[in-house]
Amino acid sequence: MARPLLTVGVDVGGTSVRAGVVDAEGNVHDTARTPTPRGEAALEAALAGVIGELAARHRVGAVGLALAGFVTPDRRGVRFAPHLAWRDAPVADRIADRIGLPVVVEHDANAAALAERHFGAASGASQVVFVALGTGIGSALLIDGVLYRGAFGVAPELGHLRVVPEGRPCPCGKSGCWERYCSGTALATTAVEMLARDPGHSPVLRRLVAGDPGRVTGQRVAAAARDGDPVACAAMAELARWLGEGLALVADVFDPELIVIGGGVSESAPLFLDEAREHYAATVTGGNRRQLARIRTAQLGEAAAVVGAAQLARDEHLR
């Protein structure tokens, strides 16, 4: 009997679970979605539900789960996930027992990077750094086209490189982490700080948030920047500066041929990416005497983690 060519990828987020049936070319044929429950048992039941819904409509051979957290080196367990209930949990075995299919677990940035390598912006590249700008920074590293996970499965945590000593506090427990200055959350924080200093120079952003700094979000800052709001544009310029400086630090360590910028913030790349490239080129060591990494935006959008998790499941179980 021929093996099924379809696998299921699941993006297990802090607020919602998104699953998709994916073929060997990275095409998503069907999707299912559910809110993310808080407890372990409820979360696993929800995952089994969306996977079962898709498996009832398609002949699938394996499942990949993508999530933000520390995954064990064998990609079967979750040590810690800040927005999910699992703590030192054998997640792959538990879900496999429920659904009767093999399961593999991966960090969501790794899954997205793999999807971009196979089907998107990183196609054909060997040495790639993937940086996902969202609530924080997710990151992944491909060496000779293969994901690098480190000795204990948690590399690379680029978002928590300290770029400002005694800087903004980070939920990780440190202060001054890169993601506190370069992310959707950071964009909002910067805009709020600027509004406090000069509230009269932000007519568009103040209108979007009805004068309430608590309603400032990265998306609203980006929208105001598109309309030329001075404070929003200045906040976007700060994000561009920190992106360029952080990428220069990353390039000094890894010397990649390609850097792919993904995550929700990348949708606003026309507002900051060219300026970030300039900061990167000016800051990286020996920038005028070396070949610089190309910097591109991701192509697969919010489907990347689903597609990448499905590809990992295919590679792991349908060889």
Side-chain angles (χ1 to χ4, degrees):
M1 182 181 297
R3 291 184 175 183
L5 298 178
L6 299 176
T7 52
V8 173
V10 187
D11 184 358
V12 189
T15 58
S16 66
V17 173
R18 293 178 296 170
V21 175
V22 184
D23 65 24
E25 287 73 47
N27 301 304
V28 180
H29 292 261
D30 197 359
T31 61
R33 189 169 185 154
T34 188
T36 304
R38 293 193 175 276
E40 275 188 280
L43 175 56
E44 289 163 15
L47 288 173
V50 293
I51 296 166
E53 178 184 337
L54 295 174
R57 299 197 291 263
H58 305 271
R59 184 167 173 258
V60 299
V63 175
L65 306 180
L67 57 95
F70 294 163
V71 175
T72 58
D74 62 4
R75 285 170 289 158
R76 305 206 57 74
V78 177
R79 288 173 169 156
F80 170 73
H83 305 297
L84 302 171
W86 290 311
R87 300 292 184 270
D88 293 315
V91 172
D93 291 339
R94 288 181 183 175
I95 302 301
D97 288 344
R98 284 177 176 265
I99 64 175
L101 290 169
V103 176
V104 64
V105 184
E106 184 57 275
H107 191 283
D108 56 356
N110 281 349
L114 187 73
E116 293 290 342
R117 173 67 171 77
H118 279 276
F119 311 111
S123 178
S126 295
Q127 318 299 325
V128 181
V129 171
F130 177 81
V131 178
L133 305 179
T135 302
I137 290 180
S139 51
L141 174 63
L142 291 162
I143 299 177
D144 294 329
V146 178
L147 285 169
Y148 176 77
R149 299 181 176 84
F152 306 107
V154 301
E157 282 290 346
L158 301 180
H160 296 289
L161 295 174
R162 179 174 286 173
V163 295
V164 182
E166 308 305 320
R168 292 173 180 169
C170 181
C172 78
K174 298 192 295 185
S175 61
C177 292
W178 187 25
E179 69 174 39
R180 294 300 93 194
Y181 297 87
C182 184
S183 64
T185 302
L187 183 61
T189 300
T190 299
V192 168
E193 291 175 352
M194 290 179 172
L195 279 171
R197 293 195 297 267
D198 196 0
H201 282 75
S202 185
V204 179
L205 183 57
R206 285 182 61 80
R207 173 173 53 80
L208 288 176
V209 301
D212 179 5
R215 298 185 62 201
V216 175
T217 64
Q219 288 181 327
R220 287 177 173 145
V221 175
R226 291 187 190 97
D227 284 342
D229 182 270
V231 166
C233 289
M236 195 65 72
E238 273 292 285
L239 182 138
R241 178 172 76 89
W242 282 113
L243 178 58
E245 293 201 8
L247 292 182
L249 177 62
V250 169
D252 281 343
V253 176
F254 296 120
D255 190 27
E257 65 180 283
L258 175 67
I259 298 169
V260 177
I261 307 298
V265 178
S266 69
E267 296 175 4
S268 300
L271 297 172
F272 65 82
L273 194 56
D274 284 345
E275 190 172 348
R277 287 189 179 103
E278 293 175 4
H279 286 294
Y280 162 70
T283 307
V284 68
T285 303
N288 61 341
R289 296 184 177 273
R290 64 188 282 187
Q291 187 167 343
L292 299 181
R294 293 174 292 128
I295 302 174
R296 301 184 62 188
T297 53
Q299 294 180 358
L300 300 180
E302 67 174 15
V306 167
V307 172
Q311 181 65 34
L312 282 162
R314 181 175 294 104
D315 289 345
E316 186 80 11
H317 296 292
L318 298 185
R319 293 171 181 166

